[in-house]
Amino acid sequence: MTWEQADQFVESDVIEWTEAIWPPKTGRRRRTKPRPVGKQKIIAQIAAIDGDFIKLTVLKAEITEDNSLKPILPHKPGSSITKKRSTLLRGEPKRLHWSEEDVREALLS
């Protein structure tokens, strides 16, 4: 498998990125800004692109860093998640190289 840096996304792309895991909201006011409780690495396929939002199907997810007192559960394979494009770009996404890269280029234009 060959991964390359991704800055543009196309439906059917398989991408990999790392994201922070935030503590659940308790409804109480906090005096301090919440900090991430861990990180997870996700591999997912793009199912749909709707403006600035990207719908993904999770293929694999694993916890890479766990700073919480309780065990953290990663996303379940097969589940559907929606992310904003800017959120994905923050996680330094990489995409799986297509065997027919010229078809991908045609889909971009």
Side-chain angles (χ1 to χ4, degrees), residues 35-75:
R35 297 194 186 282
V37 294
K39 290 185 178 181
Q40 69 179 328
K41 187 176 199 173
I42 302 170
I43 298 176
Q45 184 171 16
I46 298 177
I49 299 174
D50 185 20
D52 211 21
F53 293 93
I54 300 174
K55 188 172 183 176
L56 303 140
T57 303
V58 176
L59 302 175
K60 183 180 177 183
E62 62 182 70
I63 302 296
T64 57
E65 186 179 311
D66 187 352
N67 302 326
S68 69
L69 301 174
K70 299 177 188 175
I72 303 172
L73 298 175
H75 290 295

Side-chain angles (χ1 to χ4, degrees), residues 4-16 46 49 51 54 56 85-86 88-89 92-96 98 101 104-109:
E4 33 186 87
Q5 207 58 27
D7 52 351
Q8 293 182 322
F9 303 113
V10 176
E11 281 186 34
S12 301
D13 268 350
V14 175
I15 60 172
E16 169 187 71
I46 298 177
I49 299 174
I54 300 174
L56 303 140
R85 183 182 306 272
S86 59
L88 285 176
L89 291 174
E92 299 176 4
K94 296 177 186 170
R95 69 173 180 84
L96 196 59
W98 285 31
E101 200 66 27
R104 185 181 185 281
E105 292 299 321
L107 288 173
L108 277 172
S109 53

